[in-house]
Amino acid sequence: MTIPAQRSEGGGPSRRFGQRFGPRKPRGGQHASARPPVASIQQVFTLIAIVNGLVLLYLVIAAVQLLMVPGSRSAEIYVSLILTLLLVILAIISYQIIARRIILPIARLVREASAIESDDMSSLLTIRSNDEISRLAQAFNMVLTKMRQALIAGEASNQQLLEANRQIESSINYAGLLQRSILPDRQLQETFGKDYFILWLPRDTVGGDYYIFHSEGGHCLAGVADCAGHGVSGAMMTMLARAGIDRSIMEVGITSPAAILSCTDTAMRTLLHGARMSKSIATSMDIGLVRLDFEARTLRFSGAKISLYWSDGQTMHMLRGDHRAICDQRVGSYTDHDIPLQPDCTYYLTTDGLLDQSGGDNGFSLGSHQFKQWLIGLARQPLEQQRQALADALEQFRGSHPQRDDITILSFRFS
């Protein structure tokens, strides 16, 4: 039993059916109207019938003229005339049979197929007998019905996928709000005022990068971290890493960033012991921490694969972080580095998402050298202007290349 599909408005199944199974564009970029006209089967058959009729008419006229000639063999001429008339009758009958059983049914099928091709999804080809053409039309109807049913089922599946995608997107957006809520923007604003900026660019709505801030009296701890992965998996790692760092700060305080890194490494290894048994799951974390003593005007830095940069607009300096990430395959050791806080310098911590970003004319990574050149040119500017300038420079460098990883830059100045 075949069920003709319902018409639909807008972008429903009928519209898609017409777009998918409509006439194909001619090859070579030529428009269909540019093709030379081709005679239809009905026109060719009519032309042949006319030519045959003229020939038979000529034979009849010739036979009649022979009968009018004196002394002609009348019996043979009458036989020829009768046979010619018989051919005329057979030709007329053949024409009627072929026209009614072949030519007209084919023309009707062409018209109905053209209507279906023009998005008429409410009808099928008409079947009026049980001959070969009707069986061909019946087979076409079966294929057409199955295609319509498949399109309707596909449309239903597409709606289900759209709804599932909407729910996933809503959940990820909510996760992004939750991740944003743990970031210490308010504490940074209260401590540094206008003398800091954060450029936080997750590759997806949520990401594996985050930044840290803790304050105790005249001292504070700030830093950036890059957990393995990005998207939802990276965001889940940031929650675990944040808990591990908070616990480490409670145990060892903020006096030594290196001690915090070592304690966090131990805590994360214990927490992720089961996950680390599977080598297919990445659980490492790059992190750079600075402890600022505003009274003594000193900075203490320790990093796990993240370095500290600072510049006065003329020279560029860098303290390289230690080579082992937190929760790496091998246990690393971390070192504190003390330097004076200079009021004419701007300090920067960045995750490797910026340095590894592809772009430029050749699609190479940005690299630390190009990043240092940017910082020298920006170090004297107000921090908010630096943030916008770095964002614009990154966008221009990236061009048409996609963002490869989460990007986070923390910058501050002592005044």
Side-chain angles (χ1 to χ4, degrees):
M1 177 177 181
T2 58
I3 305 175
Q6 298 293 328
R7 286 180 178 267
S8 63
E9 298 180 357
S14 65
R15 181 65 56 191
R16 289 179 175 82
F17 181 84
Q19 293 172 350
R20 185 173 301 179
F21 300 102
R24 293 186 177 180
K25 293 183 179 179
R27 295 182 179 179
Q30 297 181 355
H31 195 273
S33 61
R35 290 181 175 180
V38 179
S40 65
I41 295 177
Q42 186 174 11
Q43 292 173 334
V44 173
F45 177 71
T46 303
L47 178 61
I48 294 174
I50 292 173
V51 172
N52 289 336
L54 292 175
V55 172
L56 292 175
L57 179 62
Y58 171 78
L59 292 176
V60 172
I61 295 174
V64 172
Q65 289 179 346
L66 287 175
L67 287 175
M68 297 176 63
V69 176
S72 60
R73 300 173 66 180
S74 301
E76 295 179 359
I77 296 175
Y78 278 118
V79 171
S80 299
L81 179 60
I82 292 172
L83 292 176
T84 302
L85 292 175
L86 182 61
L87 287 176
V88 171
I89 295 172
L90 291 176
I92 293 174
I93 295 174
S94 299
Y95 178 83
Q96 293 295 325
I97 293 175
I98 295 175
R100 292 181 180 181
R101 299 291 300 274
I102 299 177
I103 302 300
L104 294 180
I106 290 178
R108 184 180 67 252
L109 293 181
V110 170
R111 289 194 302 270
E112 293 178 353
S114 298
I116 294 173
E117 185 183 58
S118 301
D119 291 346
D120 183 2
M121 292 286 288
S122 61
S123 61
L124 297 170
L125 298 181
T126 303
I127 299 175
R128 300 189 178 185
S129 62
N130 194 30
D131 57 12
E132 290 81 356
I133 294 179
S134 296
R135 287 197 291 272
L136 177 63
Q138 185 176 9
F140 179 84
N141 285 343
M142 293 176 62
V143 174
L144 184 62
T145 301
K146 291 180 180 179
M147 291 170 62
R148 288 172 177 172
Q149 292 172 348
L151 285 173
I152 293 173
E155 181 69 17
S157 299
N158 185 53
Q159 292 298 325
Q160 293 176 356
L161 289 175
L162 289 175
E163 178 61 21
N165 182 68
R166 186 193 64 78
Q167 294 179 3
I168 293 172
E169 184 177 0
S170 177
S171 298
I172 292 177
N173 289 334
Y174 185 67
L177 292 175
L178 291 177
Q179 186 179 39
R180 187 78 195 187
S181 68
I182 72 170
L183 299 176
D185 294 306
R186 180 179 58 82
Q187 296 92 324
L188 285 166
Q189 175 67 33
E190 291 175 351
T191 301
F192 290 101
K194 295 182 179 181
D195 290 333
Y196 90 101
F197 77 79
I198 288 289
L199 184 62
W200 186 60
L201 301 173
R203 195 194 73 169
D204 306 306
T205 305
V206 292
D209 280 13
Y210 68 105
Y211 44 97
I212 304 155
F213 183 83
H214 284 269
S215 178
E216 290 182 3
H219 310 136
C220 69
L221 180 78
V224 296
D226 177 11
C227 295
H230 37 72
V232 175
S233 60
M236 294 295 293
M237 282 295 299
T238 64
M239 299 296 182
L240 296 175
R242 170 65 185 271
I245 291 174
D246 288 345
R247 179 176 178 180
S248 299
I249 291 174
M250 291 178 60
E251 291 184 8
V252 301
I254 65 171
T255 302
S256 171
I260 297 174
L261 295 182
S262 296
C263 186
T264 303
D265 182 65
T266 301
M268 294 291 289
R269 289 179 186 277
T270 302
L271 183 64
L272 297 172
H273 175 73
R276 294 184 71 252
M277 296 298 291
S278 173
K279 294 183 179 181
S280 63
I281 301 176
T283 58
S284 62
M285 175 176 63
D286 302 344
I287 182 170
L289 296 175
V290 292
R291 184 253 192 185
L292 305 176
D293 187 336
F294 295 113
E295 295 179 356
R297 297 187 178 184
T298 60
L299 180 152
R300 179 169 291 168
F301 165 75
S302 184
K305 299 188 71 175
I306 287 183
S307 301
L308 172 68
Y309 303 84
W310 71 95
S311 174
D312 58 2
Q314 297 179 348
T315 59
M316 189 74 218
H317 306 276
M318 182 182 73
L319 274 175
R320 194 175 298 276
D322 293 298
H323 296 295
R324 294 292 178 188
I326 300 296
C327 213
D328 204 345
Q329 291 295 324
R330 295 183 181 179
V331 178
S333 60
Y334 307 102
T335 307
D336 285 326
H337 304 272
D338 292 328
I339 59 173
L341 267 177
Q342 301 177 8
D344 57 345
C345 288
T346 307
Y347 298 84
Y348 307 87
L349 290 167
T350 181
T351 58
D352 62 1
L354 174 67
L355 305 179
D356 294 340
Q357 176 60 50
S358 301
D361 296 333
N362 299 316
F364 296 152
S365 299
L366 176 68
S368 59
H369 177 73
Q370 181 66 48
F371 179 58
K372 290 176 183 178
Q373 295 300 315
W374 287 359
L375 298 185
I376 291 175
L378 296 174
R380 290 286 188 178
Q381 296 183 17
L383 273 297
E384 184 57 33
Q385 292 183 18
Q386 290 193 43
R387 179 189 182 280
Q388 188 59 48
L390 278 172
D392 294 341
L394 175 62
E395 185 70 19
Q396 182 178 1
F397 172 80
R398 187 167 68 88
S400 60
H401 295 270
Q403 183 174 334
R404 294 180 57 181
D405 199 357
D406 306 316
I407 295 173
T408 301
I409 304 175
L410 168 61
S411 177
F412 59 87
R413 183 183 292 162
F414 173 72
S415 61

